[in-house]
Amino acid sequence: MPADRSEALPAARRPHRRTGGRPGLLTPGASTDPHRLRLYRALRTDHPLGYDPGLAAWVLSRYTDVAAALTDPRFTGYPHDASPRGRGPAPLGVCRGTAGCAPPSDGGGTPDPGTAAAVERAAYVLARRIAGRDGADLVAEFCRWLPAGAAAVAVRRSHPAPGALSRHRRPAEAAGECAGHTALREKALASFLANMLDDPDLLAAARDGARELLVRAWAETLRRDPPVQIVLRRTRTEVSLSGGTLPAGAPVACLIGAAGRDPARFAAPDRFDPLRADADPLLTGPVGCPAAVLGRLEAAYGLRALLTAMPDIRWADGFRPVAGGLLTRGPRALLVRAR
């Protein structure tokens, strides 16, 4: 496995601090790299609970507190009680949190064979289109197109279940809505490809057909580089957490990006390690969500298609991926050489 890349980062600026010494999230540079700026670290260590006037919400950054906000019934959706609670999960990973994404009784997570075949075909078509050139940007020419094609197939194959009506629509229609939004899957796919391209050993294992490794690498990407960085919740009553006490009716911003790299929960949290022993499914979202199912298919078939069409794929000379975004986050470009 690769070394912890955080050790190779250049010296970071000190995070901008508001009155009282607490770092502010909506400050210059925060959306560029909150890890390099040590923003998330400062919040977890010194300011685990505080009110951010820019976000108009109380901020949670430790894993244990974020986990409580996502699972404890004393928290609900934001901004009102009709937001995801009970029927629908909180928006996590590539899931938008619609009612159709609640885990079904059979556990869910099994892709429809027709959808899987369609995603595989689309991945190979896109990979072959860029294989004949010396270089390409995978974000613009692959990551944005594959989820769009998969979404079109998923929506067409969603059939309402007779008599199974939600408050306003059938579950299949809600599920199609979640799968139809592709922005989060684009960012997650780009982060997944960036992590895999960074490690020749992982790429070699992927070429050999290590299917379980790809599943774990996708989950590890959602932990280390989640497309959704901040999830909003609200307290229903007063809640005591590790950093202090939240009042009733308080808006709460859960920093998923900070929680996923909390050293109190994950060993070497900045390291991309699909085989880590302390993997945790909480931050990856519901396994049965249609968008989550499509995301796993797009990651596995997408990487296989690229490796088949471009066996020698690698970063363009001198290129390093740079992520951006505060609420949602992903690489801006992935410049590669095909030969």
Side-chain angles (χ1 to χ4, degrees):
M1 289 297 158
D4 187 342
R5 290 182 300 183
S6 63
E7 299 172 354
L9 293 176
R13 295 180 295 160
R14 297 181 62 184
H16 179 80
R17 296 179 182 273
R18 296 184 178 275
T19 302
R22 186 183 57 78
L25 284 173
L26 302 182
T27 57
S31 64
T32 303
D33 196 335
H35 302 289
R36 181 175 295 184
L37 284 176
R38 300 195 296 269
L39 174 60
Y40 286 167
R41 182 191 306 176
L43 287 171
R44 284 192 308 260
T45 304
D46 303 322
H47 308 276
L49 178 62
Y51 186 80
D52 191 310
L55 289 177
W58 294 80
V59 175
L60 303 180
S61 53
R62 291 177 176 171
Y63 174 89
T64 183
D65 294 340
V66 169
L70 295 175
T71 60
D72 194 308
R74 292 176 295 175
F75 291 83
T76 183
Y78 181 87
H80 49 74
D81 285 337
S83 297
R85 182 185 65 185
R87 290 181 304 150
L92 282 173
V94 296
C95 176
R96 299 180 70 248
T98 64
C101 297
S105 58
D106 64 356
T110 302
D112 173 85
T115 300
V119 172
E120 183 177 22
R121 286 195 301 271
Y124 278 91
V125 167
L126 290 171
R128 285 194 294 266
R129 285 181 177 176
I130 61 180
R133 305 201 305 270
D134 289 335
D137 177 3
L138 295 183
V139 169
E141 301 177 68
F142 193 83
C143 297
R144 290 176 184 165
W145 288 98
L146 183 55
V153 172
V155 171
R156 285 199 305 269
R157 297 182 68 87
S158 294
H159 300 288
L165 292 174
S166 65
R167 182 177 179 183
H168 297 294
R169 57 197 168 188
R170 300 170 188 248
E173 294 171 347
E177 176 187 338
C178 189
H181 290 269
T182 62
L184 295 181
R185 301 208 312 277
E186 293 172 11
K187 294 178 185 295
L189 178 59
S191 295
F192 169 78
L193 294 177
N195 286 327
M196 296 299 290
L197 284 166
D198 264 352
D199 191 333
D201 292 335
L202 287 179
L203 282 184
R207 288 190 187 95
D208 293 338
R211 178 172 300 181
E212 180 61 24
L213 175 65
L214 294 183
V215 173
R216 294 177 67 100
W218 172 249
E220 173 72 345
T221 294
L222 296 180
R223 176 203 67 83
R224 183 183 181 275
D225 304 296
V228 175
Q229 292 280 305
I230 299 177
V231 170
L232 296 178
R233 305 290 279 168
R234 185 173 65 81
T235 56
R236 304 176 67 193
T237 184
E238 184 176 276
V239 181
S240 295
L241 299 171
S242 73
T245 300
L246 285 167
V252 179
C254 302
L255 302 189
I256 306 300
R261 298 202 194 188
D262 188 344
R265 173 61 184 83
F266 301 101
D270 291 327
R271 179 183 299 152
F272 181 75
D273 181 6
L275 301 180
R276 65 170 53 249
D278 54 3
D280 188 332
L282 174 63
L283 300 181
T284 62
V287 68
C289 167
V293 173
L294 284 177
R296 292 193 295 271
L297 291 174
E298 290 155 4
Y301 286 130
L303 182 61
R304 291 173 190 164
L306 290 170
L307 291 175
T308 299
M310 296 171 279
D312 298 321
I313 187 172
R314 62 192 183 280
W315 292 127
D317 295 342
F319 175 78
R320 291 296 307 156
V322 176
L326 180 65
L327 298 179
T328 62
R329 186 172 179 82
R332 301 181 186 278
L334 297 177
L335 303 184
V336 297
R337 292 184 62 84
R339 52 192 179 186

